[in-house]
Amino acid sequence: MLNSIYLEYNFKVVPVQPASDILIAELGEVQFESFVETEDGVQAYIKQEDWYPNILDDLQILSNPLFSIDYDYSEIEQENWNATWESNFNPIQVGQQCVIRAPFHEKPKVEYDIVIEPKMSFGTGHHETTHMMLQHILEHDLKGKSVLDMGSGTGVLAILAAMKGAAAIDAIDIDNWCYLNAKENVERNNCNHINVYEGTADLLVDQKYDIIIANINRNILLEDIPTYVKSLKKGGILFLSGFYKEDIPRISERCKEVGLKFEKNLEKNNWVAVKYVF
């Protein structure tokens, strides 16, 4: 796995917003797994084995007359990812309490200092969905709670939950590279009671949590919400993100079918992070 080859797509987007956000969402639907937002667009990464010649044909945004999008792509080995990432990564501050930074950044004076080296994993805090999920976690008392971070990426959400006093934390991601990276970041932040697993919601057998965090994408969430509810304690909280404001009715209807109640949502650049209570 460590020698896997990725394809790096460089998209130049006019106007940059909201087109970049839409582009990232659509690329995620066709197995692109990592993104770096640039001044003039998006860099997107996909494993070579997941790529096929007409992979962009179904992207509606490329034929949208409201946007102009040009792109090229090239092969990139995983060991070159850090150099690409470091040239684009700046520390992220969430409220007054939390900073997400790289090992080479200066240590800040905040309550929650999270050190992340994402490699090919999603979840640095730059994207709106991750940022809003961090906000949700900061707003809630997690002391002594059991927490599941589903689609954990770098593990940043699980790490913040641990720093906020969660007693037992599981982090799950389907991607092997994310799994390995999350384990590294968990160790880097001395969060010894986070268990990291590689897999899907199928791993949730006889598990019960006070809080479940799932930042994935709309289609996977719609499929897996019933599984999450089976793993949620009565009175528990489900945080969902990875979709747009216009998707809330469909997500909420699915949640209502399984006994979840909408409580609140955060919104940033049309992305949302929604809180449901069981």
Side-chain angles (χ1 to χ4, degrees), residues 69-82:
I69 301 177
D70 296 315
Y71 64 89
D72 56 36
Y73 67 91
S74 59
E75 289 185 0
I76 178 171
E77 295 190 17
Q78 283 189 344
E79 53 262 35
N80 295 331
W81 166 249
N82 279 357

Side-chain angles (χ1 to χ4, degrees), residues 140-190:
H140 286 77
D141 180 8
L142 272 62
K143 288 183 181 178
K145 303 292 187 180
S146 54
V147 176
L148 168 66
D149 180 6
M150 198 71 212
S152 53
T154 61
V156 63
L157 300 179
I159 291 167
L160 180 57
M163 290 182 174
K164 289 215 66 188
I169 307 161
D170 291 335
I172 300 175
D173 202 289
I174 193 173
D175 182 75
N176 177 259
W177 192 245
C178 292
Y179 161 74
L180 296 173
N181 184 220
K183 287 178 68 71
E184 293 174 359
N185 287 324
V186 164
E187 182 177 351
R188 182 176 285 111
N189 288 274
N190 300 311

Side-chain angles (χ1 to χ4, degrees), residues 1-7 33 46-49 75-80 120 175-177:
M1 184 66 191
L2 295 178
N3 294 321
S4 292
I5 302 297
Y6 274 72
L7 295 180
E33 61 183 57
I46 185 171
K47 289 192 188 79
Q48 190 176 55
E49 60 259 36
E75 289 185 0
I76 178 171
E77 295 190 17
Q78 283 189 344
E79 53 262 35
N80 295 331
M120 277 292 183
D175 182 75
N176 177 259
W177 192 245

Side-chain angles (χ1 to χ4, degrees), residues 145 209-211 232-238 276-278:
K145 303 292 187 180
Y209 302 93
D210 295 300
I211 297 171
L232 196 60
K233 295 179 183 179
K234 193 62 180 177
I237 297 171
L238 176 63
Y276 297 92
V277 178
F278 187 39

Side-chain angles (χ1 to χ4, degrees), residues 27 31 34 36 40 56 59 65 92 126 148 153 177 204 241 256:
L27 289 169
Q31 303 302 313
S34 300
V36 175
D40 56 3
L56 302 184
L59 268 61
I92 300 298
H126 284 82
L148 168 66
W177 192 245
L204 304 180
S241 193
K256 184 178 179 181

